[in-house]
Each structure stands twice: as C-alpha cells, then as structure tokens.
Amino acid sequence: MNCIWYLPADTSAGALGADGLEAVFIAELDSGDKLIRSGSRGAFWLEPLVEAEHAGRRVGFGNVDCESLREVLRLGPDHWSSHPAYLGDIDELPWFQRQSRLTFARAGAGDPLCLDAYESRQGYVALRRALQLAPEEIVDEVTRSGLRGRGGAAFPAGVKWNTVLQAQAAQKYIACNADEGDSGTFADRLLMETDPYQLIEGMTIAGLAVGANTGYIYLRSEYPRTLHVMREAIGRAEQAGYLGQGIGGTDRCFVIELRVGAGAYICGEETAMLESLEGKRGMVRSKPPLPALEGLFGLPTVVNNVLTLASVTSVLADGADAYAAHGSGRSRGTLCLQLAGNVKRGGLLEVPFGMSLREVVMEFGGGTRSGRPVRAIQVGGPLGAYLAEAQWDTPLEYEAFAAVGAMLGHGGVVVFDDTVDMADQARFAMAFCAEESCGKCTPCRIGSTRGVEVIDKIIARDNPQQNLALLEDLCDTMEHGSLCAMGGLTPHPVRSALQHFPQDFSFGKSQDLAEV
C-alpha cells in the first residue's frame, strides 16, 4: 500500500485520544506503510485527526477512535471515502481555507522535530537572509512590517528591538515569554509542539538584530510535552549549526537555554518573569527602568512572547511589505485566535486583523457546543472584558477593541451560552486576581480580596447601591494604582459584566446601577 500516516503528538490531540491510537497503528499497520507522529493542525474539534498520504494525495479522518481507525486501515485507499470519518483533503475544508496561515503554516504538516522537513517548508530562509543584513536593517524590516507584540500589550516589536540595539552594553539578552497562563489560550504551546524550530529561528534573528548572543525561553511548568520537544529541537539545532558558535557557517553566535517556571500566573508579566529567570520569587518590578534598558540581570533585554518571535521568520523570509499587506489599520499581519469555551468548533485560527468577532465565533466556531444561544464572549484571557452581542461586530483590531473597553490580549476567545451567570464571572475575575497576585502592590493584593467580598454583598442584595459605588471606587483604585496589568486589568471583566449583564446581579439592577 505504501501510505504515510500522520497522527498528532501534541498535548491537545493527546488529551483528545490521539495517543491511544498509536497502539492500533503498531498492531495493524501494513509493513510497507509508515507512521509519523506529527503536530496538530489546531482543529481540535476534529481531533483525533488522522491523515493519510497516498499516491500524492493527503486526506484526513476526523474524530477517530480505535475501532474506526481499524476500519480505515482495513479499507484501503480505494475505499477510504466510504468511511463516515473521511474528510477528504484537509486543506480544502472551509475551516482552513478561510484562514490566512503564516505563523501556523507548517503546523501539522509533518514531524515537528525533523530539521529536513522544516527546511523543506521555508525553514531557516529568514535566518539566512538575516545573516546577510546589518542589525539596523533587520530592525528596520521588523519595524516596517508593523509587527506588534502578540503577548497582550501589542507594543511595536521594531521599536522595542531598536531600543535594545541602541543600548550600550557588553551583554544583551533575548527573553522569550512562554509562560502562557491565560485561560482559553494554547497558541504558544501549539506552536512550540508543532513547529519548534520557528521559535528557535525567530529568537536567533532577534539576537542578530540587537547584538545578543544568549536567549532564554521561560516555559510554564504545566507544559511537559512542550519541554521535551523544545529540549530536543534545541539540541538538534545546535548539532546542525543553527545554534551555538558559527551559526550558518558565519562567526556569529547565539545560544538558547530553557527555564521552567513554577506555576505562577504572574510570571507571564515580563518583569516578574525576569525576576524568576534570575532565580528570585516572581514579583513585578516598578517601571521605569524598562526591561529593554535594564532587563535580565540588569542588562538590555528584548522580552517578546512566543508568537511575536515566531512571526519574525515570516517578516524576514517574505519581506516586511508582504507581512504588512495582511491586516487593517495599525494592526498588521495575522492574528492567532484560540477559540475555546462552549463552542462547537474550537481550535487555533489564524486570520488577518479586521475580521469581526461574530464571524469568528459563529462562522468558524459554529456557535455553542451546547446548541444554546451565545450570550457572552470573553476576549483576551481572564482579564479581558465580557462582550455582549451588540459588540460582536467590532473588528478584531487593537484600537477598535480598546475603543469599546476591551482588548485582544493573547488572542484567547472564550464563549459562554445563555446559562452563564455573569455575576459569578465577575466574582471569578476578582477571585482569580486575589489568588494570582504577586502581592507587591496594595491595590492588587488587597483590592482583589475586598472586591470578592463586595461582589458577594451585591449578589446577596446587602446595601446594593452603596456596595456598587464601593465596587466602582475599588475598580478605579486597582486600575490606576496597580503596578502591572494583573491588578490594572482585573476591573475590565467586572465592569463589563455589570454594564452589559446587570440582571445577573440578583436584583432590579438596571435602576440601581443607573443610580450609582
């Protein structure tokens, strides 16, 4: 038969049953066939998604279990299309065709650790070009592309890189924030598990651009598979001459070290991450000084997240103009969204900026998994606002979301149906902050705890008008007095729940809220 079979080996696919299928392959695969543990394409609503390549064509089978896999293996290519799990050519599915994949173009294509496969799909084209450019030219290319930080702050990557480039220091660093802790997000993990060399290549380019010879990846401890993949990929890149001394046959040097966090959400904040990297307790630093000038070990440091650094390879490989041609307004390039929660077709989407949230949730997501109406959508992680239906046509752009009191953050999109209690969600936001606060500043540490108590009183209808006024005052204090985004953004989900879903706070709240 001589088929090549692809079975995803990443965390999400494994959790959905992909690992259990390997034993079936081992037992029943024809001697002339080959099994590759690939990465996932990010269509988690189809996982376990098994693909087969035969006679120059690659087709897929969705939601495969052990029994259906045995059936497919026994059918043979001529009869695959008769099986209920048969999907045909995966790339032709509308869910994929409507996307514009740049960062995740290779996801699921093959063995994530195979360097030959990476290079055959445009891998290391960007680095080879970067090695021919002066540092200023690399920074200029990134600046002209319009790439902004994908971790949440959306700060222009080129501006940050230029600040580090101009800083005078004998040692500089690249720090990759892979402490992906927002609920409903998984894009960093998926990229590292399905296309690890892209991150390695992007970090190396960043080092060439700013004059850094050392990079650190700060990985969250909850990602053990990612740790294994990245360790193996770094080792293979070193052996192949893409890391270490003499990159690509030049006299340039760049090394990457992996560091694993200890499970603190706050270490996703850049200065807390730097503290942790230095071996200290993860607590935020006051700014200024900026990490670009006094970052890791007090030296100039580029701090970018996984998707930002990975996106640099597209910018350098295809050129700044090609990257900037995607998107709209000041939001250039593509946006990686993680569609999760109560949604029918969840997974990783990569679309140009400018698409509406309604298109993403209704057309890509297919509405709720429960079949009930969508009531609220939270974008940007646990500190993002809850958006009511009147806001779902807002374009997915940084400025457009800020104009309605929301944020794109790291691109997490969590869907809730009409059974959600938004008072509970508002309380959860404060409780989450109280649990995860580093405790350094009073507005965050104390404000979140008092916030839980005040919301409990509002729900219990204990002096609701006075407590609503107190909650508003508390939110103001947290927003303007906190040292970092943890305390500063926690009021967003609370206020949005109060504003758009007042009926969930157990009293005739519309009137009470209007009186505050």
Side-chain angles (χ1 to χ4, degrees), residues 195 277 284 493:
D195 200 9
L277 275 173
V284 300

Side-chain angles (χ1 to χ4, degrees), residues 9 21 51 78 99 129 132 154 247 282 285 295 300 312 335 338 352 361 415 420 429 439 443 475 477 482 488 494:
L21 301 180
E51 295 181 63
D78 292 340
Q99 297 188 44
R129 182 178 176 222
Q132 304 301 315
I247 298 169
R285 299 176 180 173
V312 168
L335 174 63
Q338 298 117 96
V361 173
V415 181
V420 65
C475 284
T477 302
S482 297
V494 176

Side-chain angles (χ1 to χ4, degrees), residues 149-152 175-178 188 199 303-310 410:
R150 300 294 194 247
C176 173
N177 189 342
D188 289 354
L199 174 59
V303 181
N304 281 141
N305 92 322
V306 172
L307 297 184
T308 311
L309 290 163
H410 184 42

Side-chain angles (χ1 to χ4, degrees), residues 176-180 217-224 227 231 258-268 272-273 275-277 279-280 282:
C176 173
N177 189 342
D179 194 49
E180 185 177 47
I217 298 174
Y218 187 85
L219 181 67
R220 70 181 311 214
S221 59
E222 295 88 341
Y223 286 177
L227 176 62
R231 274 180 176 163
L258 266 174
R259 293 287 185 271
V260 180
Y265 176 82
I266 194 61
C267 288
M273 181 194 71
E275 289 285 296
S276 184
L277 275 173
K280 305 170 187 171

